[in-house]
Amino acid sequence: MLGDVPVVVDRGRYQDAVTPWDNPSWRTEALGWAVDTLSRRGLRPAGEVRVRLRPWSVLVRLPVAGREAVWFKANPPGSAFEGALTEALARWVPGHVLEPLAVDAPRGWALLPDGGPLFRDVLARGEAGPGDWEDLVRQYAAAQHALTPHTAEITELGVPGVPATTLPAVFDRLDATPLDPHDRRRLRALRPRLPDWCAELASLGVPDSLDHADLHDGQVFRPRPGGFTFFDWGDAIVSHPFASLAVPARRAREHHGPGILPRLRDAYLEPWTGAGRTTADLRRAVNLAWRLSALGRAAAYDRLFPAASGTAAVATAEAGARCLLELLDDPPL
């Protein structure tokens, strides 16, 4: 299949995590599917294969003779929809996402092209400023706006539907999250306010759409100045779209300080103006969705890692708790 090609495996800090890659027959089948897919396109692997194993995915970089590398990705059951979702997004919002080379939806596999430089790497080289963050959230919001007619189709692909009015029940399901007793008391004291916040958010007239739920600078390619490609949809839900803003806005604040936040908010809201929505209503919706986004992100850890053990169990429990505690923070907008 790959002959004597060297294979380098990176397990990061999850040395004890069990992944499908550890099963030789699965490994042979998965790589065989990827190589056969390339062969049908007249392509062949060439060079060192790099494998990145994490509790949430198996990611394999396959160098290809005469062109950029391609990436094989396998998702766990909780995010097995990602390949099919990416394929559908390439039809609905072309140019905003990667177009897969192939998808095996039943097995949760996808073969993806290289997307170019990560925005994170562009930032590290000092080649991006506040205006790039504004372009990012504006383009992402435009894609979300275009996806609002497709929410039923998205949930049919297996993406969880989490309308704002269901978030109090999500909070209740997360009550077992490991927390300091003081923090648990603070969260439980907040619980009576959740239904009112959720009802108000639902009443402000913004339809549900796709929420990436983890849109940081390592989940976005910037192949050219002013252009962005969004990827890694394994945490995605169908919910209030404005919940997506909190993650990139926090990252931008780390780089440029709090003064960037109103600019990002207004850039994000541009595609949502009109349809009888006032600026005040939209800004109020951003404020509410920012806080409530903590629930969607915390629930993703519970959904994606129901049987995690060892290092993965500790890390995911800690990450889920950090997300949940963001519910206590007053939104900075």
Side-chain angles (χ1 to χ4, degrees):
M1 180 183 50
L2 291 175
D4 296 326
V5 172
V7 177
V8 177
V9 177
D10 165 24
R11 294 180 180 270
R13 61 187 178 121
Y14 303 99
Q15 297 296 314
D16 58 355
V18 177
T19 72
W21 182 263
D22 301 308
N23 182 326
S25 61
W26 183 94
R27 191 164 63 238
T28 298
E29 187 176 4
L31 291 179
W33 176 80
V35 171
D36 288 347
T37 299
L38 291 175
S39 179
R40 288 194 296 272
R41 292 172 171 262
L43 304 172
R44 61 178 178 84
E48 182 179 83
V49 173
R50 292 187 172 271
V51 182
R52 184 177 182 271
L53 302 180
R54 298 294 187 267
W56 53 88
S57 68
V58 173
L59 189 63
V60 182
R61 183 183 185 275
L62 293 165
V64 176
R67 59 164 286 168
E68 297 290 339
V70 300
W71 300 82
F72 166 84
K73 185 172 185 180
N75 290 77
S79 62
F81 58 77
E82 185 181 358
L85 173 61
T86 303
E87 190 173 49
L89 293 178
R91 297 193 307 270
W92 295 330
V93 285
H96 288 288
V97 300
L98 291 177
E99 181 177 355
L101 301 173
V103 168
D104 186 323
R107 293 191 286 194
W109 294 353
L111 194 65
L112 301 159
D114 189 274
L118 286 173
F119 187 44
R120 173 180 292 166
D121 296 336
V122 175
L123 290 167
R125 295 195 297 267
E127 298 174 358
D132 294 272
W133 287 98
E134 292 177 54
D135 288 340
L136 186 159
V137 299
R138 185 184 295 110
Q139 290 172 35
Y140 174 75
Q144 284 185 300
H145 189 270
L147 289 170
T148 55
H150 298 287
T151 53
E153 295 162 274
I154 294 172
T155 55
E156 287 171 3
L157 294 173
V159 180
V162 190
T165 52
T166 69
L167 289 173
V170 171
F171 177 94
D172 294 339
R173 291 199 302 272
L174 295 171
D175 194 58
T177 301
L179 293 169
D180 175 273
H182 173 67
D183 289 332
R184 187 174 301 283
R185 287 192 295 271
R186 293 172 67 208
L187 280 169
R188 287 178 175 171
L190 198 68
R191 173 63 175 82
R193 303 175 68 183
L194 281 181
D196 290 339
W197 286 338
C198 294
E200 183 183 0
L201 180 59
S203 74
L204 290 172
V206 177
D208 284 352
S209 186
L210 187 65
D211 172 15
H212 185 288
D214 195 23
L215 192 68
H216 59 71
D217 46 332
Q219 312 275 45
V220 180
F221 296 115
R222 201 201 71 164
R224 64 191 180 282
F228 296 90
T229 305
F230 308 105
F231 73 102
D232 205 341
W233 299 92
D235 291 351
I237 56 177
V238 173
S239 191
H240 197 286
F242 293 7
S244 291
L245 181 60
V247 171
R250 285 191 178 100
R251 294 297 178 94
R253 181 175 58 185
E254 292 172 6
H255 285 272
H256 303 291
I260 196 174
L261 294 180
R263 294 171 55 181
L264 289 190
R265 176 198 60 202
D266 293 345
Y268 177 83
L269 288 176
E270 284 180 21
W272 300 98
T273 56
R277 306 181 192 108
T278 68
T279 298
D281 284 346
L282 290 171
R283 290 181 174 181
R284 176 59 177 164
V286 166
N287 186 282
L288 290 164
W290 179 298
R291 185 190 290 269
L292 294 170
S293 70
L295 292 171
R297 285 180 286 109
Y301 287 98
D302 187 59
R303 168 170 56 87
L304 292 173
F305 311 107
S309 60
T311 305
V314 174
T316 56
E318 290 175 348
R322 285 196 300 272
C323 289
L324 189 57
L325 289 173
E326 290 172 5
L327 191 64
L328 297 168
D329 299 334
D330 289 328
L333 287 167

